[in-house]
Short mmCIF file of all heavy atoms in Angstrom, two decimals:
data_model
loop_
_atom_site.label_atom_id
_atom_site.label_comp_id
_atom_site.label_asym_id
_atom_site.label_seq_id
_atom_site.Cartn_x
_atom_site.Cartn_y
_atom_site.Cartn_z
N ARG A 268 -1.45 3.48 5.96
CA ARG A 268 -0.88 4.62 6.70
C ARG A 268 -0.44 4.16 8.09
O ARG A 268 0.62 4.55 8.58
CB ARG A 268 -1.92 5.61 6.77
CG ARG A 268 -2.38 6.32 5.49
CD ARG A 268 -3.24 7.61 5.68
NE ARG A 268 -4.66 7.22 5.92
CZ ARG A 268 -5.57 7.19 4.84
NH1 ARG A 268 -5.15 7.37 3.58
NH2 ARG A 268 -6.80 6.88 5.15
N LEU A 269 -1.26 3.30 8.74
CA LEU A 269 -0.81 2.89 10.05
C LEU A 269 0.50 1.93 9.92
O LEU A 269 1.35 2.06 10.73
CB LEU A 269 -1.97 1.99 10.74
CG LEU A 269 -1.72 1.38 12.05
CD1 LEU A 269 -1.19 2.45 13.11
CD2 LEU A 269 -2.81 0.52 12.59
N ARG A 270 0.62 1.17 8.94
CA ARG A 270 1.73 0.30 8.73
C ARG A 270 2.94 1.00 8.50
O ARG A 270 4.09 0.81 8.91
CB ARG A 270 1.47 -0.64 7.52
CG ARG A 270 0.46 -1.75 7.94
CD ARG A 270 0.67 -3.01 7.05
NE ARG A 270 -0.38 -3.93 7.43
CZ ARG A 270 -0.36 -4.87 8.46
NH1 ARG A 270 0.73 -4.77 9.30
NH2 ARG A 270 -1.28 -5.75 8.65
N ARG A 271 2.73 2.22 7.78
CA ARG A 271 3.99 3.15 7.73
C ARG A 271 4.40 3.74 8.91
O ARG A 271 5.64 3.90 9.25
CB ARG A 271 3.66 4.26 6.62
CG ARG A 271 3.54 3.72 5.23
CD ARG A 271 3.59 4.68 4.14
NE ARG A 271 2.45 5.59 4.04
CZ ARG A 271 1.32 5.27 3.42
NH1 ARG A 271 1.29 4.12 2.74
NH2 ARG A 271 0.27 6.06 3.41
N LEU A 272 3.46 4.14 9.84
CA LEU A 272 3.88 4.54 11.23
C LEU A 272 4.55 3.35 11.93
O LEU A 272 5.53 3.64 12.71
CB LEU A 272 2.65 5.03 11.97
CG LEU A 272 1.95 6.35 11.60
CD1 LEU A 272 0.74 6.64 12.17
CD2 LEU A 272 3.00 7.52 11.83
N MET A 273 4.08 2.28 11.89
CA MET A 273 4.55 1.14 12.55
C MET A 273 6.05 0.89 12.06
O MET A 273 6.90 0.43 12.89
CB MET A 273 3.88 -0.18 12.25
CG MET A 273 2.55 -0.29 12.90
SD MET A 273 1.42 -1.58 12.27
CE MET A 273 2.36 -3.02 13.01
N ALA A 274 6.43 1.18 10.78
CA ALA A 274 7.74 0.99 10.33
C ALA A 274 8.69 1.94 11.08
O ALA A 274 9.96 1.74 11.08
CB ALA A 274 7.82 1.22 8.80
N ASP A 275 8.29 2.87 11.70
CA ASP A 275 9.04 3.93 12.41
C ASP A 275 9.13 3.52 13.87
O ASP A 275 9.54 4.38 14.75
CB ASP A 275 8.57 5.39 12.21
CG ASP A 275 9.15 6.12 11.25
OD1 ASP A 275 10.01 5.54 10.41
OD2 ASP A 275 8.95 7.32 11.07
N GLY A 276 8.54 2.35 14.28
CA GLY A 276 8.64 1.93 15.73
C GLY A 276 7.43 2.45 16.52
O GLY A 276 7.52 2.46 17.78
N VAL A 277 6.37 2.82 15.97
CA VAL A 277 5.14 3.29 16.61
C VAL A 277 4.47 2.01 17.15
O VAL A 277 4.10 1.12 16.38
CB VAL A 277 4.29 4.17 15.79
CG1 VAL A 277 2.92 4.37 16.43
CG2 VAL A 277 4.93 5.47 15.33
N THR A 278 4.14 1.96 18.38
CA THR A 278 3.47 0.79 18.97
C THR A 278 2.12 1.32 19.56
O THR A 278 1.30 0.37 19.95
CB THR A 278 4.30 0.19 20.12
OG1 THR A 278 4.71 1.23 21.06
CG2 THR A 278 5.49 -0.45 19.51
N THR A 279 1.88 2.59 19.74
CA THR A 279 0.62 3.05 20.23
C THR A 279 0.18 4.23 19.28
O THR A 279 1.08 5.05 19.02
CB THR A 279 0.70 3.52 21.72
OG1 THR A 279 0.94 2.42 22.50
CG2 THR A 279 -0.61 4.17 22.17
N VAL A 280 -0.99 4.37 18.95
CA VAL A 280 -1.40 5.52 18.16
C VAL A 280 -2.76 5.94 18.56
O VAL A 280 -3.55 5.10 18.97
CB VAL A 280 -1.42 5.17 16.63
CG1 VAL A 280 -2.41 4.03 16.36
CG2 VAL A 280 -1.72 6.32 15.73
N GLU A 281 -3.07 7.28 18.51
CA GLU A 281 -4.33 7.85 18.69
C GLU A 281 -4.92 8.17 17.40
O GLU A 281 -4.24 8.57 16.49
CB GLU A 281 -4.24 9.15 19.54
CG GLU A 281 -5.57 9.80 19.95
CD GLU A 281 -5.87 10.96 18.94
OE1 GLU A 281 -5.30 11.14 17.94
OE2 GLU A 281 -6.79 11.74 19.42
N ILE A 282 -6.23 7.85 17.28
CA ILE A 282 -6.96 8.06 15.95
C ILE A 282 -8.24 8.83 16.32
O ILE A 282 -9.02 8.41 17.11
CB ILE A 282 -7.29 6.75 15.19
CG1 ILE A 282 -5.91 5.99 14.92
CG2 ILE A 282 -8.00 7.04 13.93
CD1 ILE A 282 -6.23 4.64 14.22
N LYS A 283 -8.40 9.95 15.51
CA LYS A 283 -9.59 10.73 15.78
C LYS A 283 -10.64 10.49 14.68
O LYS A 283 -10.26 10.02 13.49
CB LYS A 283 -9.23 12.25 15.69
CG LYS A 283 -8.11 12.74 16.67
CD LYS A 283 -7.77 14.12 16.55
CE LYS A 283 -6.58 14.52 17.38
NZ LYS A 283 -6.71 14.27 18.74
N SER A 284 -11.91 10.77 14.96
CA SER A 284 -13.01 10.85 13.92
C SER A 284 -12.87 12.26 13.44
O SER A 284 -11.88 12.89 13.54
CB SER A 284 -14.33 10.49 14.56
OG SER A 284 -14.77 11.38 15.55
N GLY A 285 -14.03 12.85 12.97
CA GLY A 285 -14.04 14.17 12.68
C GLY A 285 -14.22 14.50 11.11
O GLY A 285 -14.18 15.68 10.69
N TYR A 286 -14.24 13.46 10.28
CA TYR A 286 -14.52 13.60 8.81
C TYR A 286 -15.92 12.98 8.40
O TYR A 286 -16.11 12.77 7.30
CB TYR A 286 -13.38 13.00 8.03
CG TYR A 286 -12.15 13.60 8.17
CD1 TYR A 286 -10.90 12.86 8.52
CD2 TYR A 286 -11.94 15.02 8.19
CE1 TYR A 286 -9.73 13.34 8.59
CE2 TYR A 286 -10.59 15.55 8.27
CZ TYR A 286 -9.62 14.76 8.50
OH TYR A 286 -8.27 15.36 8.67
N GLY A 287 -16.69 12.85 9.46
CA GLY A 287 -18.12 12.29 9.14
C GLY A 287 -19.11 13.46 9.42
O GLY A 287 -19.88 13.74 8.58
N LEU A 288 -18.91 14.03 10.65
CA LEU A 288 -19.80 15.25 10.96
C LEU A 288 -21.29 14.88 10.97
O LEU A 288 -22.12 15.75 10.87
CB LEU A 288 -19.54 16.32 10.13
CG LEU A 288 -17.99 16.89 10.04
CD1 LEU A 288 -17.85 18.14 9.34
CD2 LEU A 288 -17.43 16.93 11.47
N ASN A 289 -21.60 13.55 11.09
CA ASN A 289 -22.96 13.05 11.42
C ASN A 289 -22.73 11.81 12.21
O ASN A 289 -21.66 11.20 12.27
CB ASN A 289 -23.85 12.88 10.18
CG ASN A 289 -23.39 11.83 9.28
OD1 ASN A 289 -22.83 10.81 9.62
ND2 ASN A 289 -23.51 12.08 7.89
N THR A 290 -23.81 11.39 12.89
CA THR A 290 -23.66 10.27 13.80
C THR A 290 -23.19 8.97 13.07
O THR A 290 -22.26 8.31 13.64
CB THR A 290 -24.98 10.06 14.51
OG1 THR A 290 -25.35 11.24 15.20
CG2 THR A 290 -24.95 8.88 15.49
N ASP A 291 -23.78 8.66 11.96
CA ASP A 291 -23.44 7.39 11.26
C ASP A 291 -21.99 7.34 10.87
O ASP A 291 -21.25 6.34 11.20
CB ASP A 291 -24.33 7.14 10.02
CG ASP A 291 -25.73 6.81 10.44
OD1 ASP A 291 -26.11 6.58 11.55
OD2 ASP A 291 -26.68 6.94 9.58
N VAL A 292 -21.48 8.42 10.22
CA VAL A 292 -20.13 8.34 9.62
C VAL A 292 -19.12 8.51 10.78
O VAL A 292 -17.99 7.84 10.74
CB VAL A 292 -19.91 9.24 8.49
CG1 VAL A 292 -18.53 9.16 7.99
CG2 VAL A 292 -20.96 9.15 7.51
N GLU A 293 -19.38 9.38 11.86
CA GLU A 293 -18.48 9.45 12.91
C GLU A 293 -18.22 8.11 13.62
O GLU A 293 -17.16 7.66 13.89
CB GLU A 293 -18.94 10.46 13.94
CG GLU A 293 -18.89 11.90 13.49
CD GLU A 293 -17.44 12.36 13.43
OE1 GLU A 293 -16.74 12.43 14.43
OE2 GLU A 293 -17.07 12.86 12.31
N CYS A 294 -19.45 7.36 13.82
CA CYS A 294 -19.23 6.00 14.34
C CYS A 294 -18.54 5.04 13.54
O CYS A 294 -17.82 4.26 13.92
CB CYS A 294 -20.66 5.55 14.81
SG CYS A 294 -21.53 6.30 16.20
N ARG A 295 -18.75 5.25 12.17
CA ARG A 295 -18.16 4.33 11.15
C ARG A 295 -16.64 4.54 11.20
O ARG A 295 -15.86 3.59 11.32
CB ARG A 295 -18.57 4.71 9.82
CG ARG A 295 -18.03 3.83 8.77
CD ARG A 295 -18.41 4.40 7.30
NE ARG A 295 -19.87 4.55 7.24
CZ ARG A 295 -20.40 5.40 6.25
NH1 ARG A 295 -19.66 5.95 5.35
NH2 ARG A 295 -21.73 5.37 6.18
N MET A 296 -16.20 5.78 11.32
CA MET A 296 -14.67 6.16 11.44
C MET A 296 -14.22 5.41 12.66
O MET A 296 -12.97 4.90 12.68
CB MET A 296 -14.46 7.61 11.49
CG MET A 296 -14.76 8.29 10.12
SD MET A 296 -14.33 10.05 10.28
CE MET A 296 -12.62 9.98 10.48
N LEU A 297 -14.81 5.56 13.79
CA LEU A 297 -14.34 5.15 15.09
C LEU A 297 -14.32 3.57 15.11
O LEU A 297 -13.44 3.00 15.65
CB LEU A 297 -15.12 5.61 16.24
CG LEU A 297 -14.86 7.16 16.45
CD1 LEU A 297 -15.93 7.62 17.35
CD2 LEU A 297 -13.51 7.48 16.82
N ARG A 298 -15.31 2.93 14.43
CA ARG A 298 -15.29 1.50 14.32
C ARG A 298 -14.11 0.98 13.51
O ARG A 298 -13.39 0.06 13.79
CB ARG A 298 -16.59 0.95 13.63
CG ARG A 298 -17.71 0.94 14.61
CD ARG A 298 -18.92 0.12 14.00
NE ARG A 298 -19.30 0.56 12.67
CZ ARG A 298 -20.28 1.42 12.53
NH1 ARG A 298 -20.90 1.98 13.50
NH2 ARG A 298 -20.59 1.77 11.32
N VAL A 299 -13.68 1.73 12.39
CA VAL A 299 -12.54 1.42 11.61
C VAL A 299 -11.30 1.52 12.48
O VAL A 299 -10.40 0.75 12.40
CB VAL A 299 -12.43 2.34 10.34
CG1 VAL A 299 -11.15 2.21 9.67
CG2 VAL A 299 -13.57 2.03 9.44
N ALA A 300 -11.17 2.61 13.28
CA ALA A 300 -10.01 2.79 14.18
C ALA A 300 -9.91 1.57 15.11
O ALA A 300 -8.79 1.04 15.29
CB ALA A 300 -10.24 4.01 14.93
N ARG A 301 -11.02 1.11 15.69
CA ARG A 301 -11.00 -0.03 16.59
C ARG A 301 -10.49 -1.27 15.79
O ARG A 301 -9.74 -2.12 16.18
CB ARG A 301 -12.32 -0.32 17.16
CG ARG A 301 -12.88 0.84 18.17
CD ARG A 301 -12.03 0.83 19.43
NE ARG A 301 -12.80 1.49 20.49
CZ ARG A 301 -12.21 2.24 21.45
NH1 ARG A 301 -10.86 2.38 21.40
NH2 ARG A 301 -12.86 2.76 22.39
N ARG A 302 -11.00 -1.46 14.51
CA ARG A 302 -10.60 -2.53 13.77
C ARG A 302 -9.14 -2.51 13.46
O ARG A 302 -8.43 -3.52 13.38
CB ARG A 302 -11.42 -2.52 12.32
CG ARG A 302 -12.74 -3.11 12.39
CD ARG A 302 -13.45 -3.08 11.06
NE ARG A 302 -12.69 -3.85 10.12
CZ ARG A 302 -13.03 -3.95 8.84
NH1 ARG A 302 -14.01 -3.25 8.27
NH2 ARG A 302 -12.38 -4.66 7.95
N LEU A 303 -8.57 -1.27 13.28
CA LEU A 303 -7.16 -1.30 13.03
C LEU A 303 -6.28 -1.72 14.23
O LEU A 303 -5.22 -2.42 14.02
CB LEU A 303 -6.75 0.24 12.64
CG LEU A 303 -7.19 0.87 11.39
CD1 LEU A 303 -7.03 2.31 11.33
CD2 LEU A 303 -6.56 0.13 10.20
N GLY A 304 -6.87 -1.53 15.37
CA GLY A 304 -6.22 -2.07 16.63
C GLY A 304 -6.27 -3.52 16.57
O GLY A 304 -5.43 -4.15 17.22
N GLU A 305 -7.42 -4.10 16.14
CA GLU A 305 -7.50 -5.50 16.11
C GLU A 305 -6.74 -6.22 15.08
O GLU A 305 -6.33 -7.34 15.22
CB GLU A 305 -9.11 -5.88 16.02
CG GLU A 305 -9.89 -5.35 17.16
CD GLU A 305 -11.47 -5.41 16.80
OE1 GLU A 305 -11.84 -5.72 15.56
OE2 GLU A 305 -12.23 -4.91 17.62
N ALA A 306 -6.57 -5.54 14.07
CA ALA A 306 -5.88 -6.11 12.80
C ALA A 306 -4.32 -6.11 12.86
O ALA A 306 -3.61 -6.73 12.08
CB ALA A 306 -6.35 -5.49 11.56
N THR A 307 -3.87 -5.24 13.83
CA THR A 307 -2.45 -5.01 13.93
C THR A 307 -2.03 -5.14 15.44
O THR A 307 -2.92 -5.13 16.22
CB THR A 307 -1.99 -3.68 13.51
OG1 THR A 307 -2.43 -2.64 14.38
CG2 THR A 307 -2.48 -3.37 12.13
N PRO A 308 -0.71 -5.29 15.78
CA PRO A 308 -0.50 -5.37 17.19
C PRO A 308 -0.40 -4.02 17.90
O PRO A 308 -0.08 -3.98 19.05
CB PRO A 308 0.95 -6.03 17.20
CG PRO A 308 1.47 -5.80 15.89
CD PRO A 308 0.32 -5.66 14.90
N VAL A 309 -0.63 -2.92 17.09
CA VAL A 309 -0.60 -1.57 17.69
C VAL A 309 -1.73 -1.34 18.64
O VAL A 309 -2.90 -1.75 18.36
CB VAL A 309 -0.52 -0.56 16.52
CG1 VAL A 309 -0.81 0.91 17.00
CG2 VAL A 309 0.63 -0.66 15.76
#
């Protein structure tokens, strides 16, 4: 999904949690968001 946004010239993206609704999964989602920033130049 992020790569498809990049194909439109997106260089900065905001990513929310909100599909965990408990501490463990909310933190998991946000760690994934941080990983996406590390794995791509975005």
Side-chain angles (χ1 to χ4, degrees):
R268 293 188 279 268
L269 178 58
R270 291 202 180 280
R271 288 193 289 273
L272 287 171
M273 291 171 65
D275 267 4
V277 171
T278 56
T279 298
V280 64
E281 184 259 16
I282 302 175
K283 304 178 191 297
S284 64
Y286 295 131
L288 308 186
N289 63 38
T290 302
D291 288 347
V292 185
E293 288 290 301
C294 288
R295 183 189 308 162
M296 291 183 67
L297 293 169
R298 285 195 302 271
V299 169
R301 294 289 198 218
R302 280 182 61 186
L303 290 169
E305 294 165 359
T307 69
V309 172

